[in-house]
Structures are given as C-alpha cells and as structure tokens.
Amino acid sequence: MPNIIHAADFHIGAKFDFLPSERAAQAVKLQLKALQALVTYAAESAADVVLIAGDLFDTPDIRPQISSAVFALLAKCPCPIFLSPGNHDYYHAGSPYVTQPLPSNLHVFTSRTLEPYVLDDGETVIWGAAFQDNKASISLDAPLNPAKLNICLVHGELGGTGGYNSLSESAVISSRFDYIALGHNHRFSGVFRIGQTALSCPGCFSATASNETGIKGYLAGKLEKGNAALTFHASEATEFVEISVPMTGIHDDTSLGETLLPLLPTPPNRICLTVHLTGTRMYEPNLSALTRSLRHSFFHALVIDESAAMQDLYRYKNDDDLRGTVTRDFMSRMERCGNDERSYAKLTLALEYALAALDGRELD
C-alpha cells in the first residue's frame, strides 16, 4: 500500500506575460517555492513515490537556469520521482531531460509506449510513457501482472478530441490498471472509478492564466487494489481569483470599499486578483485609486469596470404622465433628506427601479 503524491502541470518557467515584468519574474520564483514545499511535504508525509503527470516545464526548451534549479529541488526529495513528459515539456533531443544531468531519484519515461518500473517494495509497478511531440496517442495496453499494484502515469485527457493523448472509457476499462494518474486538464477532476480502475487528474499545480481560477494543488494518500484514498492539497504557487461587485446601491468610494472588503480572498501575497464592477453605477468610481490600493496588498490586482452609468433620473420630471408624477414625488422626498446621504441614495435607487418598471426595463 504505497503512500503516493500525484501532481501535474507545474508549467514552471511560464512567461506570465499579462503581468508586469517584475511580477512575472516573481511568479516564477513562487513556482519554485511551491515545488520546494511539495518536496518538504513528501518528506514529512513519508511518501513512497511522487508521480508527475507531465508539463513540469512550460516549454520543451526551458532555460537551463530554470531547469537546473528545478532538478536541484527535486534532488532533495527523499523518495523516487517518476515523470511522464507532456505536450509542453515533451521529450526530444534538446529537452532538459536529455541535455542536463538528472537527479538520481528522478526517473523520466522516454518511450512512446508504456514501460514498467518496479518499486523497491516489489509489489508496485509504475507504468509510464512520454509525449515526443506536442501531440501524442499512448495506448493503455500493457502486460500487467494482476498480483501487483499497477499504476499508469501519463499526460492525457479522458474523452478529449484535441490529440493530447485522448483516452476512452472502454480503453480504461480494458486496461485493468489499479490507478491511472493523469495530467493535462487544469481543473481537478476528483478521484473516480471506471470499471475496476481508479483515476484522477489533479489539475494544474501552478496556474499560469487569469482564467485558471480556484485553488490549485496535488493529490496525496494511499493506494491499494480497489481503493484510492487520495486527498487534495493546495499548492503554494500563484493563485488567480475573480470577484464581482454589483454597483447598484453603492453611492461613493467609501461604500464601494466597505462592500468589497469582505469579498477579498486570502492570502493576498500570492493572489492575482481581478475585480469586476457590474450592474448600474450611481457615481463614477476612482478606478486608479482602487487599483493602487489593491496592488499594495495583493500580488497583482486588476479592476475592470463593466457597470453601466445610471440614466438621468429626472428625465421625465416635466412629463404629465405617471412617470413624471413618480419622478416629481421622489424629487420632493430627496429634497427633504437634507445631508442624509444614505437616505438620498436609497431614494435614488428606488426611483431608478420605479422608472425601469414603468419603462419595461430590467435592472441588475
């Protein structure tokens, strides 16, 4: 019953070209720091093996300074590491897996077809194969010994059509593997079973795009025949978070800040935050000041104003119909508010909704 760690899609060395250059460089450092934390966890949890299902690097010709730093970190892992290159770090003549000395504890699968490696316990067999280009089709057919615990480590997707080693359910069922450790898809699939085979894709270890929101990480736990007791662990790499703030009812920058504050995620030091302002706005927010304030706390922050300006509330005040009557009534109430800004704001919003209903319009 080996204690395993299953990770994929680190994409170390990604450009992060949507970030300022200084932040992009720091994001790569966070990737390395997160990898170091994974190695530390492997030691603390007494892991028997670490499985990396492809895309350790973001490109097949990663800079030597980055690959050497990664290999130095992996060398500190107290257990063996198995890696099946994926479509981003595929195995070829110029690959760092060929051109640089590898740590003695790192085994990189290099064949287009599955090859076995028996762990020291004599009971567990890791089967793996490599992408040798940015597309691949790896057969799950292998001469398994059913008395052993057979683990398949490949970069690929279940039922995909993009040429990234698409696996069918029937192929999984007929393979008879005990566990298939996948990579490629950047969202955690959960741990599930098809036939007698358990399989999972942990999602990306390190997000590299603003649309890759949510917590990223890896799987860890015990494997045995008929049971994959794996749990998800968050990594310490850069995280991307998007939040929406409806502007309806917000009447100044102070109330915007009060609305936004409880929505802010933590820990801010490694979060790239995007704030979307939505709905109908009652005033023009100071976007540059808000952005500066958020960037002071967060790894990076972007504010996108998707709200629509409120129409002239008093456009019907001289009309003789119901809209004019309603407008004049609200104007009279607003005049009696004096310096009570909150009451004035509530009446303003109420008038906007009343006019929208009379106009047959919908408001956010």
Side-chain angles (χ1 to χ4, degrees), residues 108-229:
V108 178
F109 290 103
T110 61
S111 173
R112 293 176 183 268
T113 57
L114 292 176
E115 293 183 328
Y117 190 104
V118 182
L119 294 187
D120 289 344
D121 64 5
E123 301 298 324
T124 305
V125 185
I126 310 295
W127 295 79
F131 274 61
Q132 294 186 359
D133 203 335
N134 62 357
K135 299 289 180 72
S137 179
I138 299 170
S139 172
L140 295 181
D141 292 336
L144 306 186
N145 181 345
K148 307 286 187 182
L149 180 70
N150 292 283
I151 300 172
C152 178
L153 175 65
V154 288
H155 194 75
E157 54 185 346
L158 185 66
T161 59
Y164 301 110
N165 189 32
S166 303
L167 307 177
S168 67
E169 290 192 6
S170 60
V172 171
I173 292 171
S174 61
S175 75
R176 312 294 288 180
F177 276 106
D178 295 296
Y179 182 68
I180 299 179
L182 293 172
H184 185 64
N185 288 323
H186 284 199
R187 288 198 175 274
F188 176 38
S189 67
V191 181
F192 57 101
R193 187 171 293 276
I194 299 178
Q196 73 170 26
T197 301
L199 64 163
S200 183
C201 178
C204 58
F205 180 87
S206 171
T208 58
S210 58
N211 62 344
E212 293 176 352
T213 55
I215 298 174
K216 306 303 179 184
Y218 56 93
L219 292 167
K222 300 282 188 179
L223 279 183
E224 61 182 328
K225 282 189 172 293
N227 185 34

Side-chain angles (χ1 to χ4, degrees), residues 225-284:
K225 282 189 172 293
N227 185 34
L230 304 177
T231 57
F232 186 83
H233 296 255
S235 75
E236 298 182 11
T238 307
E239 185 180 335
F240 294 85
V241 177
E242 292 191 358
I243 58 177
S244 294
V245 180
M247 293 295 288
T248 305
I250 297 176
H251 53 83
D252 58 25
D253 285 332
T254 299
S255 57
L256 174 57
E258 292 172 350
T259 303
L260 179 59
L261 186 60
L263 303 177
L264 296 178
T266 57
N269 60 305
R270 59 182 179 84
I271 289 179
C272 291
L273 176 68
T274 302
V275 177
H276 299 270
L277 304 182
T278 63
T280 302
R281 64 180 182 273
M282 300 168 62
Y283 80 107
E284 292 299 324

Side-chain angles (χ1 to χ4, degrees), residues 313-332:
L313 275 181
Y314 313 122
R315 58 193 179 276
Y316 299 127
K317 66 180 181 180
N318 295 321
D319 291 5
D320 294 328
D321 58 10
L322 181 58
R323 289 176 297 192
T325 301
V326 169
T327 300
R328 289 188 292 274
D329 177 64
F330 271 91
M331 290 176 67
S332 176

Side-chain angles (χ1 to χ4, degrees), residues 5-6 11 44 92 159 185 198 216 242 248 265 290 307 312 315:
I5 292 175
H6 170 197
H11 290 277
E44 293 174 346
H92 70 295
N185 288 323
K216 306 303 179 184
E242 292 191 358
T248 305
L290 177 58
S307 64
D312 178 12
R315 58 193 179 276

Side-chain angles (χ1 to χ4, degrees), residues 66-121:
I66 293 178
S67 55
S68 61
V70 168
F71 292 150
L73 289 174
L74 294 180
K76 298 177 182 179
C77 187
C79 66
I81 302 169
F82 293 86
L83 187 151
S84 289
N87 62 298
H88 276 260
D89 63 346
Y90 59 83
Y91 187 82
H92 70 295
S95 166
Y97 305 132
V98 176
T99 60
Q100 289 189 250
L102 301 181
S104 59
N105 62 336
L106 174 62
H107 179 84
V108 178
F109 290 103
T110 61
S111 173
R112 293 176 183 268
T113 57
L114 292 176
E115 293 183 328
Y117 190 104
V118 182
L119 294 187
D120 289 344
D121 64 5

